[in-house]
Amino acid sequence: MKKRVLSLMLVLLMTLTLIPLAPLAEAAAASDTRGSKGDNLTWALDEENGVLTISGQGDMADYSEDFAPWFEKSSSITSVSIQQGVTGIGSGAFCLCAALNAVTLPDGLKRIGDGAFGGCKSLTEIAIPTSVETIGNGAFSDCASLQKATLPVGLTQLPDSLFEGCTDLTEVNIPENVTVIGASAFKDCCKLAIPGMPDGVKTIGKEAFASCAAVEELTIPASIESIGKNAFDGTSIEAVVFDGTKAHWTQIGGETSGIDIKNIR
């Protein structure tokens, strides 16, 4: 009898012990440690609220050849919070997180990798801290719901395909220090109207503003040294103020940019 009671108590004790283990196991499955050195950053996903938090110190690994460890749960991620101390966001880190609609980035962040937020179709706004020095190609491409983007004032280059396919984008600043606007940087941003560019811009890449149908007037500084083919193809530009001669316009590739030279004044 005593042995039977002890057996029942043991079973009960084991049952009670196992009760809290299920959610802990789930929590463990929804967190990991991964970074450029494998142990500097930690991620945790609150699946109930859809909040993914990245914390730690230093740069994040790039995921250009494989998916980020949280990708299998990407459909439940609605918000990303990058904590102070994280200095870089890896390539492809949050790509195709289709439900992601809010991102918080810390001061001290230095880089955003290629395609980091590509295809985040629910993201409506992004504010990039002034500490960011480089942004990778296609970092916010195909964010179809993105309406407003704030770029850091110290940025000197807008990478290729930065906002390509952001069909709802209506508001973005081109920082005064920018000298290069990459190929397809704003391609297919059909609601975006940019009236002018900083005085120091030297290069506008191929198809940089192609199919930006809302662009009707444009001011281009004399600092321009090169305009890529079809840079303004598919726009509604009726007038361009160019602080240079028509001969200079031809020399820098303006005639193949998609703007009729008759519209240059």
Side-chain angles (χ1 to χ4, degrees):
M1 183 70 178
K2 185 176 180 179
K3 290 183 177 180
R4 184 177 179 183
V5 171
L6 288 174
S7 297
L8 288 172
M9 289 179 64
L10 181 60
V11 170
L12 180 60
L13 180 62
M14 291 177 65
T15 302
L16 291 172
T17 304
L18 288 173
I19 288 175
L21 287 182
L24 285 176
E26 291 173 5
S31 64
D32 193 10
T33 300
R34 179 77 179 268
S36 59
K37 294 182 179 179
D39 59 358
N40 60 327
L41 299 183
T42 299
W43 68 276
L45 175 61
D46 179 346
E47 292 190 64
E48 183 177 351
N49 296 310
V51 180
L52 174 65
T53 302
I54 310 292
S55 57
Q57 299 291 323
D59 203 358
M60 184 186 295
D62 288 321
Y63 300 103
S64 52
E65 295 183 0
D66 57 352
F67 288 112
W70 49 81
F71 181 76
E72 65 180 31
K73 297 180 180 293
S74 61
S75 61
S76 63
I77 298 173
T78 59
S79 176
V80 168
S81 177
I82 310 294
Q83 300 293 292
Q84 198 79 32
V86 178
T87 59
I89 296 175
S91 297
F94 307 105
C95 70
L96 301 178
C97 289
L100 178 63
N101 58 53
V103 175
T104 302
L105 303 177
D107 291 332
L109 188 70
K110 298 293 185 183
R111 75 165 186 113
I112 298 175
D114 295 349
F117 294 93
C120 293
K121 296 184 181 298
S122 298
L123 188 64
T124 58
E125 184 175 346
I126 188 71
I128 302 174
T130 56
S131 57
V132 171
E133 299 170 352
T134 60
I135 302 176
N137 294 337
F140 298 95
S141 61
D142 295 317
C143 293
S145 298
L146 188 66
Q147 299 174 21
K148 180 180 179 181
T150 304
L151 297 172
V153 294
L155 204 62
T156 59
Q157 295 190 22
L158 302 188
D160 295 351
S161 302
L162 175 59
F163 294 111
E164 182 177 358
C166 295
T167 52
D168 273 358
L169 186 64
T170 58
E171 186 177 348
V172 64
N173 63 307
I174 299 182
E176 289 297 320
N177 292 325
V178 165
T179 59
V180 176
I181 298 176
S184 302
F186 298 97
K187 184 179 181 181
D188 294 327
C189 294
C190 52
K191 295 182 180 179
L192 182 65
I194 297 180
M197 299 180 191
D199 291 337
V201 172
K202 295 182 178 180
T203 302
I204 300 175
K206 178 182 178 182
E207 299 185 335
F209 294 92
S211 300
C212 291
V215 179
E216 297 179 353
E217 296 186 4
L218 190 65
T219 299
I220 299 178
S223 60
I224 292 287
E225 298 175 355
S226 174
I227 300 178
K229 188 175 181 181
N230 298 325
F232 300 99
D233 189 47
T235 63
S236 301
I237 292 176
E238 297 178 355
V240 175
V241 176
F242 175 57
D243 297 330
T245 65
K246 288 189 176 181
H248 184 205
W249 179 256
T250 301
Q251 180 183 357
I252 62 178
E255 288 189 337
T256 60
S257 68
I259 298 176
D260 190 335
I261 197 168
K262 294 179 181 177
N263 293 335
I264 306 296
R265 68 170 189 259

